[in-house]
């Protein structure tokens, strides 16, 4: 009786462990492609009636209009590829286009990839990218039947444990899932997502690879990293770790053990207890390494500081050792680093001229020039450049003269004309009364000949008067020569 009861207990225990492990690795599909979701539009606003809707040319996915009701638009710009999923018995009407119609633009472009880690939820942020997408022992949860689904399947053939809709409790059977290969929700020539074996052996639970095969994992990882690497950004730690299945440098901590006899459940329990006090600041992930050991990955929530990671890793190492688990390695990514890429880019641009100036200064000092002489020469060079710039800007000058009573320059009175009389027409322009304007900067020799006489024969003559006239004439001639 007892002998027959023992195998039954083993079977029940195995089923319980499998159910617990499978519940932990349940992956949910995240993308929302609904028309009525405001975040799917560039202006965070659902299009109004009689609006103009623009889809990007590279919209290679489906957009669901289900639940919107009868939709009326003034104009719609369709993409080269993609689908509009209309509701059953729904209507899409086009009214007369208007110049004042509001414009709404769809914000998403391209395909929605199965192999994109950002499209799945259910993994810790500390998990490597390969393990954030569905693996062989993961349960996949797709959106409910009233939601739009559009997925570009991976190139590499992958396996999952089961697939169900979010509004259903039971997953699709193997045969039901195979019938999906002819539907438009999954874009790829080959239907590459398959079901894993319905029964799992104890040896299969110890396989460290995501898909159970290192070659498959390698191809799958390359497809994942082709999407993820452009998002890596700046590495904010001094000594980033290299983590299996991760596409970017890893800023965090790690505690590793090569003890293969330790169970995943034991490591999970100890890690949860050790890091419970850091739950608000760090996330952690327990995984089996490709060498069949275990490692606990620790990553900070938010920006990497290094101090929190160091404290969490040290506490985890002590707790695992106290539990009798031999630790082979405990490491962190070092101190936090600030993003200095802008300074590195602009440094040579502005630093090179300063270095050249410093070298010239040292060379002049070496050849015996004093510092004051160098500075005065630089000031003269700057002044000459500044004067040249001013000369280029001020090529023409203007002088203004005002006819004010207290001034020395006035409009001369012309005999025979009063100030209120108008003058005659000269060359098509009417001359204003008041006479001729005399420019004091211009001296006419004709006027001087008329106005200045050397000798008046009718007036009384004396030697003193003659001498003064001659001196004044010589002075005027010198002034004319200088002009």
């Amino acid at each position: 009786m007892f002998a027959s009861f023992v195998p039954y207990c083993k079977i029940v225990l195995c089923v319980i462990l499998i159910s617990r492990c499978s519940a932990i690795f349940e992956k949910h599909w995240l993308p929302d492609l609904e028309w009525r979701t405001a975040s799917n539009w560039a202006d965070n606003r659902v299009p109004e009636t009689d609006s103009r809707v623009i889809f990007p040319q590279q919209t290679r996915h489906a957009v669901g209009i289900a639940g919107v009701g009868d939709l009326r638009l003034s104009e719609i710009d369709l993409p080269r590829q993609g689908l509009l999923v209309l509701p059953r018995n729904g209507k899409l009407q086009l009214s007369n286009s208007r110049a004042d119609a509001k414009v709404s633009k769809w914000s998403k472009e391209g395909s929605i990839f199965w192999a994109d880690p950002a499209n799945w939820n259910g993994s810790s942020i500390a998990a490597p990218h390969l393990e954030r997408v569905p693996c062989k022992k993961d349960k996949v949860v797709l959106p409910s039947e009233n939601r739009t689904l559009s997925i570009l399947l991976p190139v590499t053939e992958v396996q999952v444990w089961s697939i169900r809709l979010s509004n259903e409790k039971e997953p699709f059977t193997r045969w039901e899932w195979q019938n999906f290969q002819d539907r438009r929700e999954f874009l790829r020539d080959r239907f590459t997502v398959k079901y894993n074996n319905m029964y799992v052996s104890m040896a299969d639970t110890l396989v460290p690879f995501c898909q159970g095969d290192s070659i498959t994992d390698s191809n799958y990882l390359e497809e994942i990293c082709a999407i993820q690497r452009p998002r890596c950004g700046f590495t904010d730690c001094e000594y980033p770790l290299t983590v299996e299945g991760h596409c970017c440098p890893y800023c965090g901590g790690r505690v590793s053990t090569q003890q293969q006899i330790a169970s995943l459940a034991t490591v999970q329990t100890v890690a949860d207890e050790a890091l419970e006090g850091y739950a608000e600041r760090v996330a952690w992930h327990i995984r089996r390494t490709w060498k069949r050991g275990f490692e606990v990955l620790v990553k900070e929530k938010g920006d990497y500081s290094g101090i929190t990671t160091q404290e969490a890793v040290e506490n985890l190492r002590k707790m695992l050792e106290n539990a009798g688990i031999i630790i082979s390695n405990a490491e962190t990514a070092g101190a936090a680093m600030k993003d200095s890429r802008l300074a590195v880019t602009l440094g040579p641009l502005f630093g090179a001229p300063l270095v050249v100036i410093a070298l010239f200064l040292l060379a002049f000092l070496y050849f015996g020039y004093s510092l004051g002489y160098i500075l005065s020469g630089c000031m003269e060079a700057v002044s000459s450049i500044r004067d040249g710039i001013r000369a280029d800007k001020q090529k023409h000058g203007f002088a203004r003269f005002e006819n004010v009573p207290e001034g020395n320059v006035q409009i001369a009175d012309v005999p025979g004309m009063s100030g209120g009389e108008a003058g005659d027409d000269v060359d098509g322009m009417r001359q204003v009364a008041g006479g001729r304007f005399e420019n004091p900067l211009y001296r006419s020799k004709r006027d001087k000949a008329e106005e200045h006489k050397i000798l008046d024969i009718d007036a009384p003559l004396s030697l003193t008067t003659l001498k003064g006239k001659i001196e004044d004439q010589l002075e005027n001639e010198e002034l004319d020569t200088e002009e």
Side-chain angles (χ1 to χ4, degrees):
M1 183 69 179
F2 180 78
S4 62
F5 180 72
V6 172
Y8 175 76
C9 292
K10 290 183 178 180
I11 294 174
V12 172
L13 180 62
C14 181
V15 171
I16 294 175
L17 290 176
I18 292 175
S19 62
R20 287 188 59 187
C21 293
S22 60
I24 294 174
F25 299 106
E26 194 172 70
K27 304 290 175 62
H28 294 255
W29 179 253
L30 292 178
D32 185 345
L33 303 177
E34 300 301 322
W35 179 285
R36 57 191 174 186
T37 303
S39 59
N40 288 334
W41 301 95
D43 55 357
N44 288 322
R45 179 177 54 86
V46 178
E48 300 176 359
T49 303
D50 294 332
S51 298
R52 179 189 175 188
V53 174
I54 301 176
F55 288 98
Q57 292 294 325
Q58 301 300 323
T59 306
R60 300 179 178 177
H61 54 265
V63 178
I65 314 182
V68 180
D70 295 342
L71 187 63
R72 190 180 68 189
L73 302 173
S74 63
E75 192 175 351
I76 181 170
D77 295 354
L78 295 174
R80 296 177 181 175
Q81 298 182 10
L83 298 171
L84 281 179
V85 182
L86 300 175
R88 189 181 300 274
N89 299 326
K91 296 180 181 180
L92 176 59
Q93 300 177 350
L94 293 178
S95 61
N96 295 328
S97 59
R98 301 182 306 174
D100 60 344
K102 295 184 178 179
V103 178
S104 298
K105 185 176 181 180
W106 186 256
S107 61
K108 298 181 182 294
E109 294 187 23
S111 301
I112 311 298
F113 295 93
W114 175 284
D116 187 353
N119 291 336
W120 297 98
N121 186 25
S123 299
S124 169
I125 61 172
H129 294 128
L130 180 61
E131 298 180 22
R132 296 184 192 181
V133 297
C135 288
K136 193 173 183 179
K137 295 182 288 295
D138 290 339
K139 291 183 176 181
V140 174
V141 181
L142 299 178
S144 60
E145 59 183 3
N146 60 350
R147 295 275 302 276
T148 303
L149 181 65
S150 179
I151 303 177
L152 182 62
L153 297 179
V155 177
T156 305
E157 184 174 304
V158 296
Q159 295 183 1
V160 296
W161 180 257
S162 66
I163 300 174
R164 68 176 178 89
L165 299 180
S166 59
N167 61 326
E168 299 289 342
K169 295 182 179 180
E170 297 297 327
F172 296 111
T173 64
R174 182 185 301 271
W175 299 274
E176 288 176 336
W177 177 248
Q178 288 178 354
N179 293 332
F180 275 87
Q181 60 185 344
D182 298 327
R183 299 179 60 168
R184 289 189 171 185
E185 290 90 340
F186 306 99
L187 305 177
R188 183 65 73 186
D189 294 337
R190 297 185 303 113
F191 198 67
T192 53
V193 177
K194 307 291 184 181
Y195 261 37
N196 190 7
N197 294 328
M198 296 301 295
Y199 300 99
V200 63
S201 63
M202 291 302 295
D204 193 27
T205 60
L206 300 178
V207 174
F209 300 106
C210 176
Q211 293 298 328
D213 182 8
S214 60
I215 298 177
T216 304
D217 273 7
S218 178
N219 297 333
Y220 198 24
L221 180 60
E222 285 301 319
E223 189 172 352
I224 295 170
C225 290
I227 302 171
Q228 187 63 36
R229 283 195 187 103
R231 307 172 183 166
C232 290
F234 175 72
T235 304
D236 55 354
C237 54
E238 188 175 7
Y239 303 107
L241 307 179
T242 301
V243 177
E244 297 170 344
H246 200 67
C247 303
C248 305
Y250 194 90
C251 291
R254 171 169 53 195
V255 178
S256 305
T257 175
Q258 298 298 331
Q259 188 177 2
Q260 300 182 11
I261 59 175
S263 65
L264 182 63
T266 302
V267 178
Q268 178 76 54
T269 302
V270 177
D272 291 344
E273 182 180 355
L275 300 176
E276 182 180 3
Y278 301 90
E280 296 182 357
R281 292 177 289 171
V282 301
W284 59 92
H285 176 72
I286 296 91
R287 62 181 298 270
R288 186 179 291 275
T289 65
W290 295 348
K291 295 181 180 180
R292 298 181 182 274
F294 291 100
E295 69 178 6
V296 183
L297 299 174
V298 179
K299 192 174 183 64
E300 294 184 35
K301 298 178 180 179
D303 296 335
Y304 176 80
S305 66
I307 300 175
T308 304
T309 302
Q310 181 69 34
E311 295 176 356
V313 168
E314 182 64 21
N315 190 40
L316 176 61
R317 182 188 63 82
K318 292 179 180 179
M319 293 287 289
L320 289 174
E321 289 180 345
N322 293 336
I325 300 175
I326 301 175
I327 302 302
S328 60
N329 187 27
E331 56 183 341
T332 63
M337 300 288 291
K338 294 184 178 180
D339 191 354
S340 58
R341 289 175 293 180
L342 182 61
V344 172
T345 303
L346 298 181
L349 181 62
F350 295 100
L354 296 178
V355 173
V356 172
I357 293 173
L359 292 177
F360 273 108
L361 181 62
L362 293 176
F364 283 124
L365 293 175
Y366 177 78
F367 286 105
Y369 294 95
S370 64
L371 184 60
Y373 180 80
I374 296 174
L375 293 177
S376 63
C378 293
M379 294 300 295
E380 292 179 1
V382 173
S383 299
S384 62
I385 294 173
R386 182 182 58 192
D387 295 340
I389 295 174
R390 288 180 178 177
D392 292 337
K393 291 183 177 180
Q394 300 178 357
K395 294 182 179 180
H396 303 283
F398 299 91
R400 191 179 81 171
F401 303 95
E402 296 182 1
N403 189 21
V404 294
E406 64 273 13
N408 295 325
V409 180
Q410 296 184 7
I411 297 177
D413 293 332
V414 179
M417 297 187 65
S418 63
E421 297 177 353
D424 299 331
D425 291 338
V426 179
D427 296 333
M429 298 182 64
R430 191 165 183 82
Q431 187 175 4
V432 181
R436 184 180 69 256
F437 182 83
E438 294 182 353
N439 190 347
L441 300 180
Y442 175 75
R443 293 184 179 182
S444 173
K445 295 182 179 180
R446 183 184 62 186
D447 296 340
K448 292 177 182 178
E450 295 176 354
E451 295 175 0
H452 302 283
K453 295 181 180 180
I454 299 176
L455 184 63
D456 188 1
I457 59 177
D458 296 332
L461 183 64
S462 65
L463 292 176
T464 303
T465 304
L466 180 61
K467 182 179 178 181
K469 294 286 185 179
I470 294 173
E471 289 179 352
D472 292 341
Q473 184 65 23
L474 291 175
E475 183 179 355
N476 291 332
E477 292 294 335
E478 290 178 357
L479 291 174
D480 294 339
T481 304
E482 290 178 358
E483 291 177 359

